[in-house]
């Protein structure tokens, strides 16, 4: 994304985006642009839809109920959704919003809540998680909104794990060591990362996971990290060694 458009508001829409066409925003986004940001006719915004790249658009009407936009020019070509899979045991409320936001910023393409024995929550408001992911995507200028899956149990995850993907397990029981070597060995392969709940994985869960051929346990250092810290640390070390930070 050229930095020249960095200051413009970015909105995710589910419309097709093509030059020379127009679109009218829904109530919420119109209110946000016209009332909150006080955008007026002639002002510019960037829209993306996860399929057609990012487009520079110009307001042709600025009613708080329905802002009209000219779709002017494509400023970033569409990129494929990230292959990085992020599995985590959901945390309570605001920390749950936090880990969703961090997973998007750190480049996850799929966000999978996993219910483990010590997971604190069992019912999730899926549409709220999707809204969080969408807002994070707008802010951090990704071109696709990561897919937030419905929660599933660890057993179901193991039963349905695809044969072509490695599962990096953030294992707090692993002897403190650098994960760089273990991760570098995965270069070029599809990977997922799994972070446990505040109470950690149960002994049975850890033993079961570590026995699986596609699981690669890693340490995230000598200290016990909070689950949301572990999420960012694990995603960072993966992106920096074998991910899209290069
Ligand atoms: N069982 C510990 C904390 C679990 S922390 C306790 O109850 O105090 C939550 C999750 O973060 C863990 O399940 C693990 O996935 C990850 N994590 C935290 N510290 C880690 C470390 N030093 N190495 C690897 N993973 C870690």
């Amino acid at each position: 994304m050229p930095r020249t458009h960095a200051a413009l508001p970015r909105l995710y829409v589910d419309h097709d985006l093509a030059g020379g066409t127009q679109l009218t925003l829904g109530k919420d986004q119109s209110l946000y642009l016209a009332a909150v940001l006080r955008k007026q006719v002639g002002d510019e915004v960037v829209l993306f839809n996860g399929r057609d790249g990012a487009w520079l658009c110009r307001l042709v009407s600025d009613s708080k109920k329905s802002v009209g936009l000219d779709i002017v020019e494509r400023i970033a070509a569409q990129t494929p959704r990230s292959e990085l899979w992020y599995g985590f045991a959901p945390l309570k409320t605001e920390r749950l919003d936090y880990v969703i936001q961090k997973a998007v910023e750190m480049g996850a393409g799929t966000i999978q809540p996993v219910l483990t024995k010590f997971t604190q929550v069992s019912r999730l408001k899926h549409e709220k998680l999707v809204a969080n992911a969408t807002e994070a995507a707008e802010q951090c200028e990704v071109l696709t909104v990561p897919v937030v899956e419905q929660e599933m149990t660890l057993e179901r995850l193991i039963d349905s794990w695809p044969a072509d993907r490695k599962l990096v397990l953030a294992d707090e029981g692993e002897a403190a060591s650098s994960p760089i070597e273990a991760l570098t060995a995965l270069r070029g392969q599809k990977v997922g990362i799994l972070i446990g709940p505040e109470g950690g994985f149960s002994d049975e869960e850890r033993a079961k996971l570590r026995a699986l051929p596609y699981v690669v346990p890693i340490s995230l250092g000598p200290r016990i990290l909070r689950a949301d810290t572990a999420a960012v640390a694990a995603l960072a070390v993966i992106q920096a060694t074998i991910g899209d930070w290069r």
Side-chain angles (χ1 to χ4, degrees), residues 157-236:
L157 179 75
I158 292 171
D159 289 347
S160 59
W161 190 259
D164 65 346
R165 185 179 291 272
K166 294 286 188 197
L167 178 57
V168 176
L169 170 68
D171 182 350
E172 69 275 20
E174 181 76 2
S177 57
S178 163
I180 304 290
E181 200 178 322
L183 291 175
T184 307
L186 301 179
R187 186 183 300 285
Q189 298 186 58
K190 286 181 184 176
V191 298
I193 174 75
L194 180 61
I195 309 285
E198 277 311 329
F201 291 107
S202 71
D203 291 343
E204 299 75 25
E205 286 170 339
R206 285 185 59 236
K208 188 169 183 183
L209 283 163
R210 294 176 66 98
L212 294 167
Y214 55 76
V215 168
V216 177
I218 62 167
S219 161
L220 293 174
R223 287 165 293 281
I224 291 290
L225 310 177
R226 295 284 298 261
D228 38 6
T229 314
V232 179
L235 286 164

Side-chain angles (χ1 to χ4, degrees), residues 11-188:
L11 291 178
Y12 173 79
V13 293
D14 201 8
H15 295 267
D16 290 338
L17 295 170
T21 61
Q22 287 204 341
L23 73 83
T24 303
L25 293 177
K27 223 158 38 50
D28 293 350
Q29 290 183 321
S30 297
L31 191 69
Y32 173 65
L33 281 185
V36 175
L37 298 186
R38 300 186 182 288
K39 291 299 177 188
Q40 297 169 341
V41 171
D43 286 344
E44 293 175 330
V45 296
V46 173
L47 295 190
F48 68 106
N49 61 8
R51 303 186 299 277
D52 303 322
W55 286 77
L56 183 69
C57 303
R58 194 167 293 123
L59 275 77
V60 293
S61 66
D62 53 20
S63 129
K64 293 184 180 58
K65 287 196 174 55
S66 65
V67 162
L69 297 167
D70 268 351
I71 300 175
V72 177
E73 70 170 303
R74 195 181 74 174
I75 55 172
Q78 184 60 44
T79 50
R81 185 155 62 85
S82 155
E83 262 298 333
L84 181 54
W85 182 96
Y86 167 68
F88 69 109
L91 306 168
K92 279 210 172 75
T93 52
E94 71 284 344
R95 292 181 59 221
L96 177 57
D97 298 345
Y98 175 88
V99 289
I100 297 283
Q101 188 184 61
K102 298 312 142 196
V104 175
E105 291 172 59
M106 299 303 281
T110 303
I111 298 174
Q112 172 67 66
V114 179
L115 304 178
T116 69
K117 184 174 179 192
F118 299 135
T119 297
Q120 300 156 337
V121 295
S122 52
R123 286 297 307 146
L124 297 172
K125 293 192 183 72
H126 184 254
E127 66 285 350
K128 190 166 177 310
L129 305 189
V130 172
N132 278 322
T134 305
E135 200 177 312
E138 290 172 339
Q139 176 273 326
C140 69
E141 301 189 3
V142 291
L143 287 166
T144 53
V145 180
V147 170
V148 180
E149 301 287 7
Q150 296 284 349
E151 63 271 22
M152 70 162 70
T153 61
L154 181 60
E155 288 69 27
R156 192 117 170 272
L157 179 75
I158 292 171
D159 289 347
S160 59
W161 190 259
D164 65 346
R165 185 179 291 272
K166 294 286 188 197
L167 178 57
V168 176
L169 170 68
D171 182 350
E172 69 275 20
E174 181 76 2
S177 57
S178 163
I180 304 290
E181 200 178 322
L183 291 175
T184 307
L186 301 179
R187 186 183 300 285

